[in-house]
Amino acid sequence: MNEFELIHTFFASQPVTRDDVAVGIGDDASVVKAPSGMQTVVSTDVLVSGIHFLPDADAASVGHKALAVNLSDLAAMGAEPAWFTLGLTLPDIDTTWLQGFCEGMFGLARRYNVQLIGGDTSRGPLAIVVSAYGLVPEGKALLRSGAKPGDRLYVTGELGDAGLALKHRLGELQLPDRDITVIADRLERPMPRIGEGMALRGIAHCAIDLSDGLLADLGHILEASGGGARIHLDRIPLSAVYRAYLAETGWDLALANGDDYELCFTVPPEKISELEKMKTEFPCGFTLIGDIEAETGLRVMDEAGKPYPFKAMGHDHFSPGDAKRTWEVS
Ligand code: ADP
Ligand code: MG
């Protein structure tokens, strides 16, 4: 199979076809049309084998996650996904791997009605670059810079399971089958909080998706917005599985590991009743974990109400300590 046969076999026939795609795969570039009154939101993420996923990771999970992390960025902007492109470098043409990869990627694409409209394919070390394009009503995108003192601080879903599953996969912790089967998808097949992000338009002052860990990503909000925040450990939403290991692993996986792809957002007091009314749009739930304050800095309070001395602030690909890891997530 050559490059063109590969593109034809795996990418040219689309499980999703949208009316707003005038020209899709097959020409020099694609042509799409955003509805009037909408802005286009664009996000790109790179996934490199051995850095972002284990070289022997299940192909379907890799395909799912490559798209999911991009859709999660769109969700954090309040955007509805529409199209995506795929850059792929492969050491060789492994049709079994490609089949699995497409199954994972297109399974998620179908769920959110997002169409693959182009890409590029080349020989090279296994790496995947997805760019996702979404739509948001003009001026309604949720930014990191919108948090204001007095806002209440929320997260969707539960935190820390991706980190716990990673520890198991790396052999640093042994989880019994009954536990790893419950949380493995939180690491390998995260679900982007698309409906949740869209529901937050006009309600949240700001939002971010949790890819680097709550403390680091909340840090990004504070950097962009100014001000500070106070969060309470006993309010951090944890799964039953994580709770069972809390004494052993502590809070760090929930606070600083990242890869959870939940949304962290702030809501002004006058919009909280509106948020409460939107509960049905949040099948994963949302939890109040703290407040935005005028005083700069991040204050983490422990279960007894005392300052919790946190250390790790999440992941940085270029920090010397983090770069030493043989593989990582972000
Ligand atoms: P060009 O040489 O003009 O870049 P290519 O031969 O690379 O064209 O690609 C041919 C068509 O196939 C283009 O429409 C391109 O967008 C699409 N394509 C190539 N690789 C991929 C891929 N990995 N996923 C989706 N579409 C792809
Ligand atoms: Mg090309």
Side-chain angles (χ1 to χ4, degrees):
M1 186 178 278
N2 63 28
E3 178 193 334
F4 304 102
E5 287 163 350
L6 183 158
I7 294 167
H8 181 77
T9 307
F10 292 101
F11 302 123
S13 59
Q14 284 298 301
V16 175
T17 50
R18 295 174 56 104
D19 293 342
D20 51 16
V21 178
V23 179
I25 290 173
D27 214 309
D28 294 317
S30 50
V31 181
V32 294
K33 183 170 170 40
S36 65
M38 301 295 268
Q39 288 174 312
T40 307
V41 179
V42 184
S43 147
T44 299
D45 265 303
V46 176
L47 280 85
V48 178
S49 175
I51 303 284
H52 299 91
F53 55 89
L54 286 166
D56 62 353
D58 159 58
S61 298
V62 174
H64 174 104
K65 196 161 175 177
L67 181 57
V69 298
N70 280 279
L71 297 187
S72 177
D73 281 322
L74 296 187
M77 302 296 287
E80 179 174 9
W83 318 292
F84 70 107
T85 58
L86 170 68
L88 199 52
T89 54
L90 300 165
D92 46 44
I93 297 179
D94 176 345
T95 53
T96 309
W97 190 89
L98 277 162
Q99 246 150 24
F101 177 82
C102 284
E103 189 190 300
M105 185 180 67
F106 287 131
L108 190 63
R110 227 180 267 121
R111 182 173 174 132
Y112 291 108
N113 192 36
V114 52
Q115 182 174 341
L116 179 64
I117 54 169
D120 200 21
T121 310
S122 169
R123 189 183 294 277
L126 179 59
I128 303 148
V129 184
V130 171
S131 293
Y133 302 77
L135 300 166
V136 71
E138 212 143 317
K140 294 283 187 230
L142 302 170
L143 308 183
R144 296 179 177 187
S145 54
K148 302 233 159 36
D151 282 3
R152 319 286 341 251
L153 183 63
Y154 293 82
V155 293
T156 61
E158 292 160 341
L159 306 188
D161 283 352
L164 194 59
L166 176 60
K167 263 197 167 326
H168 172 84
R169 292 281 186 248
L170 293 177
E172 293 170 11
L173 189 82
Q174 280 309 313
L175 302 187
D177 283 353
R178 64 158 201 281
D179 287 344
I180 190 67
T181 50
V182 173
I183 63 167
D185 276 2
R186 296 305 317 275
L187 174 68
E188 281 142 18
R189 298 199 181 212
M191 290 310 289
R193 303 307 188 193
I194 298 292
E196 292 82 351
M198 289 169 66
L200 290 173
R201 292 173 185 166
I203 292 178
H205 266 167
C206 102
I208 192 167
D209 70 322
L210 298 179
S211 54
D212 295 338
L214 175 65
L215 299 184
D217 289 318
L218 181 51
H220 297 322
I221 287 182
L222 300 179
E223 230 167 79
S225 297
R230 177 181 303 263
I231 62 173
H232 304 271
L233 283 188
D234 55 5
R235 295 190 194 164
I236 305 283
L238 304 175
S239 70
V241 172
Y242 192 102
R243 241 172 227 298
Y245 294 90
L246 184 57
E248 194 176 336
T249 63
W251 289 97
D252 279 6
L253 297 176
L255 294 178
N257 179 81
D259 235 18
D260 286 316
Y261 299 103
E262 295 296 346
L263 299 182
C264 174
F265 58 96
T266 80
V267 177
E270 68 273 15
K271 294 277 186 181
I272 287 170
S273 59
E274 230 176 296
L275 174 69
E276 295 289 339
K277 279 188 220 133
M278 301 291 284
K279 274 221 158 94
T280 54
E281 308 295 323
F282 292 76
C284 59
F286 56 78
T287 307
L288 175 67
I289 62 163
D291 299 273
I292 299 295
E293 298 177 333
E295 187 191 341
T296 57
L298 177 55
R299 289 159 285 283
V300 181
M301 314 313 285
D302 70 11
E303 296 94 323
K306 298 208 174 66
Y308 174 79
F310 60 89
K311 36 181 183 350
M313 281 292 282
H315 187 69
D316 172 357
H317 282 270
F318 291 102
S319 85
D322 285 356
K324 278 200 208 99
R325 288 168 60 171
T326 50
W327 81 287
E328 71 207 15
V329 290
S330 78

